[in-house]
Amino acid sequence: MTTGTMRVQALLAAAALMAIGCGPTASSSSTAGAADAKAFLDTVNATMLKLGIAGSQAGWVQQTYITDDTEALSARANQESADATARFAKEAPKFDKSDVPADQRRELTLLKVSLVMAPPADPKESEELSKIMARLESAYGKGKWCPDAAKPEQCKNIDGITRLLAESRNEKEIRAAWEGWHTIAPPMRKDYARFVELSNKGARELGFADTGAMWRAKYDMPPDDFTKELDRLWGQVRPLYLKLHAYVRMKLHAKYGDAVPANGPLPAHLLGNIWAQDWTNIYPLIAPANADPGFSLTDILKKRRAPPVEMVRTGERFYTSLGFAPLPKTFWERSLFVRPKDRDVVCHASAWDIDLAEDLRIKMCIEQTAEDFTTIHHELGHNFYQRAYKDLPTLFRDSANDGFHEAIGDTIALSVTPEYLVKIGMLDKAPDASRDVGLLMNRALEKIAFLTFGLLIDQWRWNVFSGATPVASYNKAWWDLRLKYQGVAPPAPRGEELFDPGAKYHVPDNTPYTRYFLAHILQFQFHRALSKMAGCAGPLHRCSIFQSTEAGQRLNAMLSMGQSRPWQDALEALTGSKQMDATAILDYFAPLSTWLDEQLKGTQVGW
Ligand SMILES: [Zn+2]
């Protein structure tokens, strides 16, 4: 559910591997004039657009027609963009003292904070860093657990591990797979420590305290204030999380006995997901009685034999009902909706804006399931966002901050309520409110459970980058945070010879993660604000903004700002407030929260 590779930010984020030319120390001492800044930004915007289009075209063909040649073409195009971005980012400080108009100042600032990893100026170190990154990525990509060395056919990659943890109810089997997957990580430990040293050096050359501070600088507020802001948001949701945690623990204790303590932390391996970041797979074990909603969207779609293109048309109609223009003809001609029979493709769902303007597409291998129906609405959210900001300078063609892009489609997906399904003729009658606890529990296992994980990955990395967590306590710090936020513990003590953070893709791949936490907070805040505009007076989880042009206009006001203003202004354009607010989550889950209070009477929450 990523946005298609070539949004500008993605381009910028991909940048980094080679140190080129003009180091920041050399350039920051001289001050260039305002006219030079304008010329520089014109070049940057034009170059990024040109390289971005080339990269998207190559990337699209590579993902929908995988061959050695298309992979090589795509890698080459990406490298070219990455090199250009790194070069531009390092040139930007040249204009730090120039007197330029506000919008140009913002473009320069965005350029400076655009790198996810800053290569050090020393070419030897830069090359070492790039080799380490490639090694870390491939160590993860090739990661496999082989329960029996004599039987290679039993080896499991991450897909196999994921399936086993989702389906198995055998504690011994689950534990073996969980421990098995974590064996891919210890070889990454030394490389990761060196990666931290080198990338920090590059970040310091750009004027940041360390790589973590560079990441936090993207959020239009001082890095330390941003950290505090995340803590504040988490504090708002924590009481609800504690209840969910205690209820799940009670049910799992009943199922697994002493493998799940009656009062302590939850075992990290028994939550249906290798990272315990999404608990929906254990829903059958904890399902509330009499809370079956009485219908299955998957069954409905299958019974109707709904063609994938029709499912996408239905998604599009949601957006046009809000007042957005229909998707262009080329969207229907060029998108990929079904898995081709004759060739390999990357089926992971994504949304693309090939020309950073009108050439929108999605790439999905759609099946007739409720999950894919939701994902369609999610991906189209990216497309409508992309088109809304298409007239801005290239550097502004992105979401207000990186949490916003993922939040939009999810916001719309929250409007896919039973009442909405009735309205579009897919369901005869919406279930009554007595069934809400089941629907809400399912959603809480996905969204509330995720928040803690979404928060802690970067908490760990920021401390690692700043040196607050030394190499000697990498693993301890990881499990301290997992205990603190998630309230989970490993099935047995984990020593420093291990490297458990490395078993999560985004760590060896070096992708920042806080955006997913933000997206989970923002989507509920957006949904509450839009529902109000749509005049929904019922409970928030039953509100759908379908057919509300008032909500559509406000949504578009925010989307069309792209990244041209601080995210606080974009947030205000939609919600009327400059502050993120997690209380919408509490409103949304209020009936579940009340129900949990009943179930937990006399039970201790927390760990
Ligand atoms: Zn997405």
Side-chain angles (χ1 to χ4, degrees):
M1 298 205 223
T2 43
T3 53
T5 43
M6 290 303 142
R7 288 189 293 113
V8 180
Q9 197 61 44
L11 245 182
L12 298 173
L17 301 185
M18 300 178 65
I20 300 144
C22 131
T25 21
S27 54
S28 54
S29 56
S30 65
T31 296
D36 298 337
K38 170 85 173 61
F40 171 67
L41 286 170
D42 284 349
T43 306
V44 171
N45 280 313
T47 309
M48 302 311 297
L49 184 61
K50 191 173 142 232
L51 294 178
I53 294 171
S56 288
Q57 288 169 331
W60 178 269
V61 177
Q62 185 253 319
Q63 294 207 10
T64 58
Y65 202 102
I66 306 171
T67 69
D68 291 339
D69 294 326
T70 58
E71 276 180 8
L73 289 168
S74 176
R76 208 180 300 158
N78 280 333
Q79 190 62 48
E80 213 181 322
S81 305
D83 293 350
T85 309
R87 197 172 65 236
F88 290 142
K90 291 193 163 195
E91 259 187 77
K94 194 159 76 177
F95 302 100
D96 278 355
K97 298 201 175 87
S98 312
D99 185 22
V100 300
D103 58 335
Q104 289 178 24
R105 175 55 60 206
R106 181 159 178 84
E107 287 182 73
L108 288 164
T109 304
L110 289 175
L111 197 50
K112 270 170 35 183
V113 299
S114 64
L115 294 176
V116 167
M117 184 178 70
D122 177 342
K124 256 198 186 147
E125 288 177 332
S126 173
E127 196 192 327
E128 186 188 354
L129 180 58
S130 119
K131 281 190 178 148
I132 288 175
M133 291 308 297
R135 264 207 307 275
L136 285 170
E137 274 177 51
S138 105
Y140 186 95
K142 291 180 183 157
K144 267 198 184 101
W145 167 55
C146 299
D148 183 346
K151 294 180 185 157
E153 73 279 6
Q154 289 181 0
C155 293
K156 285 191 194 312
N157 62 14
I158 186 60
D159 296 347
I161 298 275
T162 300
R163 255 194 311 277
L164 190 145
L165 263 89
E167 290 162 10
S168 176
R169 303 290 184 237
N170 177 330
E171 196 271 334
K172 257 190 160 161
E173 183 183 51
I174 298 170
R175 179 169 166 173
W178 187 92
E179 285 174 342
W181 177 249
H182 285 79
T183 60
I184 70 155
M188 302 176 193
R189 189 180 165 108
K190 213 173 136 227
D191 270 343
Y192 196 81
R194 181 65 177 150
F195 149 77
V196 169
E197 278 176 14
L198 291 171
S199 77
N200 273 345
K201 193 166 179 212
R204 279 194 289 271
E205 288 173 10
L206 281 175
F208 299 100
D210 57 74
T211 300
M214 185 169 86
W215 290 5
R216 296 196 298 283
K218 292 174 205 295
Y219 294 98
D220 298 308
M221 51 166 65
D224 289 344
D225 290 5
F226 181 63
T227 313
K228 283 187 203 129
E229 182 62 358
L230 297 179
D231 277 339
R232 182 184 68 79
L233 292 166
W234 172 235
Q236 293 181 311
V237 197
R238 189 165 176 273
L240 175 58
Y241 180 75
L242 290 182
K243 288 194 244 178
L244 180 69
H245 180 280
Y247 176 74
V248 167
R249 180 173 58 195
M250 189 169 82
K251 289 298 202 180
L252 290 186
H253 180 68
K255 163 79 186 167
Y256 290 110
D258 288 343
V260 181
N263 283 307
L266 285 162
H269 62 302
L270 291 178
L271 293 157
N273 172 278
I274 186 73
W275 306 286
Q277 70 175 62
D278 178 339
W279 303 353
T280 37
N281 289 317
I282 58 162
Y283 180 78
L285 297 180
I286 63 146
N290 306 318
D292 183 69
F295 75 96
S296 149
L297 181 54
T298 298
D299 291 348
I300 294 170
L301 290 164
K302 285 200 192 307
K303 212 166 131 196
R304 296 180 153 218
R305 296 206 180 90
V309 66
E310 276 312 311
M311 289 168 67
V312 183
R313 286 274 182 205
T314 306
E316 183 200 31
R317 275 197 293 274
F318 196 108
Y319 289 86
T320 53
S321 89
L322 302 178
F324 289 93
L327 291 162
K329 195 162 153 265
T330 49
F331 172 88
W332 304 100
E333 293 161 355
R334 297 173 187 172
S335 286
L336 184 136
F337 298 140
V338 285
R339 183 190 286 275
K341 291 199 172 77
D342 61 337
R343 62 186 198 270
D344 287 332
V345 300
V346 178
C347 266
H348 185 83
S350 55
W352 299 62
D353 56 341
I354 301 282
D355 62 350
L356 288 159
E358 287 282 352
D359 191 352
L360 307 163
R361 306 177 195 177
I362 64 171
K363 179 183 65 58
M364 262 185 90
C365 300
I366 299 173
E367 307 210 8
Q368 287 142 349
T369 64
E371 193 189 346
D372 278 8
F373 189 67
T374 302
T375 303
I376 288 168
H377 290 74
H378 173 92
E379 298 306 332
L380 292 182
H382 289 306
N383 279 159
F384 282 94
Y385 207 159
Q386 288 159 339
R387 191 171 57 181
Y389 56 59
K390 73 181 169 60
D391 294 325
L392 298 171
T394 318
L395 278 165
F396 288 155
R397 289 185 213 174
D398 203 343
S399 58
N401 71 37
D402 54 7
F404 280 57
H405 231 303
E406 291 302 327
I408 296 307
D410 278 7
T411 301
I412 299 301
L414 289 177
S415 272
V416 179
T417 58
E419 285 76 9
Y420 164 70
L421 295 175
V422 170
K423 244 185 195 169
I424 63 170
M426 287 181 74
L427 188 64
D428 293 334
K429 189 173 164 292
D432 62 71
S434 67
R435 307 303 167 111
D436 284 356
V437 168
L439 292 167
L440 286 171
M441 177 63 84
N442 227 320
R443 196 147 265 175
L445 293 176
E446 180 197 347
K447 309 253 182 187
I448 307 285
F450 177 79
L451 283 168
T452 54
F453 191 72
L455 192 55
L456 74 86
I457 292 204
D458 283 351
Q459 302 276 339
W460 181 80
R461 282 194 288 207
W462 295 343
N463 284 337
V464 163
F465 285 129
S466 76
T469 297
V471 186
S473 29
Y474 271 2
N475 224 36
K476 179 181 182 304
W478 174 254
W479 284 105
D480 285 350
L481 286 166
R482 294 203 64 184
L483 182 64
K484 178 183 171 189
Y485 289 109
Q486 285 186 296
V488 304
R494 311 284 295 169
E496 288 302 328
E497 73 282 10
L498 305 170
F499 183 55
D500 294 326
K504 171 70 184 170
Y505 170 78
H506 298 70
V507 173
D509 183 65
N510 198 38
T511 306
Y513 210 72
T514 303
R515 65 185 64 160
Y516 302 108
F517 173 81
L518 296 177
H520 277 66
I521 301 281
L522 288 168
Q523 60 189 261
F524 289 97
Q525 192 177 356
F526 293 162
H527 178 64
R528 183 171 66 183
L530 292 168
S531 294
K532 214 182 218 173
M533 287 162 218
C536 178
L540 192 52
H541 64 281
R542 287 289 187 115
C543 285
S544 177
I545 62 165
F546 183 60
Q547 289 176 324
S548 169
T549 48
E550 289 83 356
Q553 269 166 18
R554 284 287 282 274
L555 180 59
N556 188 52
M558 181 179 84
L559 300 188
S560 57
M561 290 166 82
Q563 209 180 5
S564 64
R565 306 280 310 147
W567 64 261
Q568 292 88 340
D569 294 3
L571 183 65
E572 188 181 27
L574 183 104
T575 66
S577 164
K578 282 182 189 289
Q579 220 182 19
M580 287 189 278
D581 184 1
T583 61
I585 294 180
L586 306 182
D587 289 354
Y588 188 94
F589 289 101
L592 178 70
S593 182
T594 308
W595 182 85
L596 284 170
D597 287 338
E598 289 283 311
Q599 311 302 310
L600 292 170
K601 265 188 191 145
T603 312
Q604 199 188 329
V605 303
W607 49 86

